[in-house]
């Protein structure tokens, strides 16, 4: 018979593509190393509660803290008492997750700021820049890494790192949701996904560009921008 732990680890694999640790510890938030990351970085995390109807949550800080919920029994199939217990359990899990997210994000900013300070203007012969035939608006370069800072207003929220071969990652703990990168231009504001796309749009139009980094963040940045500037002229590319 399949145990609750086996069901939980299988959900980690199938829902989030995570490779769970060999031992699952119940009761509190646990972090673990993901494949192909530096040992001890522990970007993966989970919270597992086996009591009553087993339930938990899991995710990766490399994925901007995106979380996934799980329970051994479907919510619609629970009794009223079970639903109440489940809701209380998930609220406790949420609080644990938020506390850990705050710690991870604070560590990200502590790491991001000196990286930006040590970085220099990009080498125009950087393979990613030449490959995309762009002017590297606003980027910084540290060794062979292009650094694109994410912000909400003036507040730094993390870094996107672009390598010469085009591979991209966010510094662990980066808060992507609602964050963006600005290329300043005219009063027309164009929102787009990627930084290279944003550079091209600005070069061709002269507009101010808000780079949102992925399609899932476009709506949030657009809504925030509209709230700040009700009469602003916005276009989503």
């Amino acid at each position: 018979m399949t145990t609750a732990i086996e069901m939980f680890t299988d959900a980690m694999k199938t829902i989030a593509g995570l490779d769970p640790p060999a031992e699952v510890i119940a009761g509190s938030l646990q972090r673990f190393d993901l494949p192909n990351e530096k040992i001890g970085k522990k970007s993966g995390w989970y919270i597992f509660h086996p009591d009553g109807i087993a339930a938990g949550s899991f995710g990766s800080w490399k994925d901007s803290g995106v979380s996934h919920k799980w329970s051994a029994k479907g919510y619609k199939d629970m009794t009223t008492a079970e639903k109440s217990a489940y809701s209380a359990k998930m609220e406790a899990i949420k609080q644990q997750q938020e506390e850990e997210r705050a710690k991870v994000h604070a560590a990200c900013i502590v790491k991001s700021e000196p990286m930006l300070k040590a970085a220099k203007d990009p080498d125009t012969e950087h393979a990613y820049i030449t490959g995309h035939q762009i002017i590297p608006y606003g980027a910084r370069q540290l060794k062979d890494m292009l650094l694109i800072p994410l912000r909400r207003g003036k507040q730094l929220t993390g870094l996107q790192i672009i390598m010469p071969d085009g591979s991209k990652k966010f510094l662990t703990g980066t808060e992507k949701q609602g964050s963006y990168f600005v290329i300043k231009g005219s009063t027309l504001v164009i929102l787009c996904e990627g930084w290279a796309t944003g550079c091209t749009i600005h070069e061709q139009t002269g507009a101010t560009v808000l780079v949102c980094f992925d399609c899932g963040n476009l709506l949030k940045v657009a809504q925030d921008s509209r709230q700040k500037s009700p009469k602003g002229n916005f276009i989503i590319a």
Side-chain angles (χ1 to χ4, degrees):
M1 183 176 177
T2 304
T3 67
I5 288 180
E6 289 172 333
M7 293 169 64
F8 181 66
T9 55
D10 183 63
M12 292 175 71
K13 295 175 185 177
T14 57
I15 296 174
L18 296 174
D19 188 7
E23 180 185 8
V24 173
I25 300 172
S28 61
L29 189 146
Q30 302 292 322
R31 296 179 61 179
F32 59 96
D33 290 325
L34 299 176
N36 303 317
E37 77 171 355
K38 185 178 179 181
I39 295 175
K41 194 169 184 180
K42 296 185 177 181
S43 298
W45 63 271
Y46 69 86
I47 308 172
F48 177 67
H49 289 287
D51 53 301
I53 295 175
S57 184
F58 48 83
S60 166
W61 298 121
K62 294 180 70 174
D63 192 23
S64 299
V66 173
S67 64
H68 305 271
K69 297 179 181 179
W70 172 86
S71 67
K73 187 176 183 180
Y75 188 78
K76 292 182 179 179
D77 298 323
M78 295 180 190
T79 65
T80 300
E82 287 173 337
K83 287 179 179 178
S84 179
Y86 171 77
S87 296
K89 188 181 297 183
M90 295 311 296
E91 185 60 34
I93 287 174
K94 181 181 178 181
Q95 184 174 345
Q96 286 180 287
Q97 181 187 335
E98 290 299 323
E99 289 172 355
E100 187 66 19
R101 175 186 281 117
K103 293 178 184 177
V104 174
H105 179 59
C108 171
I109 301 307
V110 167
K111 188 173 182 179
S112 297
E113 290 174 339
M115 287 177 68
L116 282 173
K117 188 174 181 180
K120 301 179 180 179
D121 291 337
D123 179 359
T124 55
E125 295 304 312
H126 188 282
Y128 187 80
I129 293 172
T130 58
H132 286 74
Q133 300 181 40
I134 55 174
I135 297 173
Y137 294 104
R140 305 293 289 164
Q141 184 172 340
L142 183 63
K143 299 179 180 179
D144 62 348
M145 302 179 293
L146 292 176
L147 306 181
I148 315 298
L150 284 74
R151 302 182 188 276
R152 291 195 196 104
K154 295 182 179 180
Q155 179 64 49
L156 181 68
T157 58
L159 294 175
Q160 183 182 54
I161 299 171
I162 304 177
M163 303 303 293
D165 63 1
S167 59
K168 304 172 186 176
K169 66 178 182 179
F170 293 98
L171 194 64
T172 299
T174 293
E175 290 191 352
K176 182 174 60 176
Q177 186 70 4
S179 299
Y180 50 86
F181 174 77
V182 181
I183 303 174
K184 293 184 179 180
S186 69
T187 55
L188 171 64
V189 179
I190 301 179
L191 290 76
C192 69
E193 293 182 50
W195 170 71
T197 300
C199 291
T200 300
I201 290 172
H202 175 73
E203 183 67 17
Q204 294 295 318
T205 67
T208 292
V209 176
L210 301 184
V211 177
C212 304
F213 299 98
D214 66 36
C215 62
N217 194 36
L218 279 167
L219 178 60
K220 174 61 175 172
V221 176
Q223 290 173 331
D224 290 348
S225 299
R226 173 59 71 203
Q227 187 173 19
K228 292 176 183 177
S229 181
K231 295 183 179 180
N233 189 6
F234 298 98
I235 294 175
I236 296 179

